[in-house]
Amino acid sequence: SEISLVELARATFDERCIGETVAALIAAEQARATTDKSIALALDRISEEETRHAAFAWRVVRWALGVGGAPIARAIEQRFECAVAELAPTSEPQPAIDLEIALAYGRLPASEHAKIRAEALREVVAPCLRSLLGGQDRVDSPVHAA
C-alpha cells in the first residue's frame, strides 16, 4: 500500500532523524565507555554510520517539506512534541547487572540511554528542526535531561 508524503516525512523524522541521531550518540558514548579497543573501534564505526543515516534522513525531510509545505511541518512538529513527551521517566525495573563489566563491553544502562536521548532531542534535533523550519520559535519546546 502507498503512504502519503506526510506519513513518509513523519516516519523518516521519527525513525531516522531522531532514531539514528540517538543511535549515533549512544554508540559514541558506548565506544568511550568500553575498555576493549576492538569493541570501541566497532562502536565508532556504528556511530559514524548512524550519523550518515541521520544526515540523509534530514535531507529527505527537507525535501518533503519543500514539496508538501505546512502539513509536513505540522506533522514533524507534532512528532517532535511527542518525542519530548515520551521522555518522562518510566518505572520499569532495571535488570541487575555488574555495571563495571557492562561498561567494559560497551553496554550502557537504560538510564544513560534515556539521558542521551534527552540530550539528542535538546542539543541536536531541536536546533536542526528549528533551522529546517526557518528558525520558527514554535520548536523551542523545553527538553530536559532525564
Side-chain angles (χ1 to χ4, degrees):
S1 74
E2 292 184 28
I3 65 169
S4 71
L5 185 59
V6 170
E7 292 167 332
L8 171 71
R10 183 184 303 116
T12 301
F13 178 73
D14 184 37
E15 297 167 17
R16 304 294 174 236
C17 295
I18 294 174
E20 303 280 1
T21 297
V22 171
L25 294 171
I26 287 172
E29 186 58 33
Q30 288 172 324
R32 279 190 286 278
T34 185
T35 56
D36 185 297
K37 290 182 184 188
S38 61
I39 292 173
L41 182 61
L43 288 166
D44 281 336
R45 275 191 246 129
I46 290 169
S47 180
E48 290 169 9
E49 186 174 309
E50 300 294 0
T51 298
R52 283 192 303 274
H53 295 167
F56 179 72
W58 282 105
R59 290 192 298 273
V60 169
V61 171
R62 182 177 57 216
W63 166 81
L65 186 61
V67 171
I72 303 297
R74 280 192 300 276
I76 59 177
E77 287 174 312
Q78 288 169 353
R79 185 57 206 124
F80 178 77
E81 291 168 6
C82 289
V84 170
E86 292 165 0
L87 290 173
T90 63
S91 59
E92 294 177 24
Q94 298 299 312
I97 60 169
D98 184 320
L99 187 57
E100 188 174 326
I101 292 174
L103 290 174
Y105 288 98
R107 301 297 301 161
L108 300 174
S111 61
E112 191 65 19
H113 281 246
K115 179 182 173 191
I116 292 169
R117 182 173 176 82
E119 289 172 356
L121 287 172
R122 181 182 63 245
E123 297 176 17
V124 179
V125 177
C128 288
L129 185 55
R130 240 188 330 273
S131 176
L132 186 68
L133 297 176
Q136 299 169 10
D137 290 337
R138 59 186 183 215
V139 180
D140 288 329
S141 303
V143 180
H144 304 290

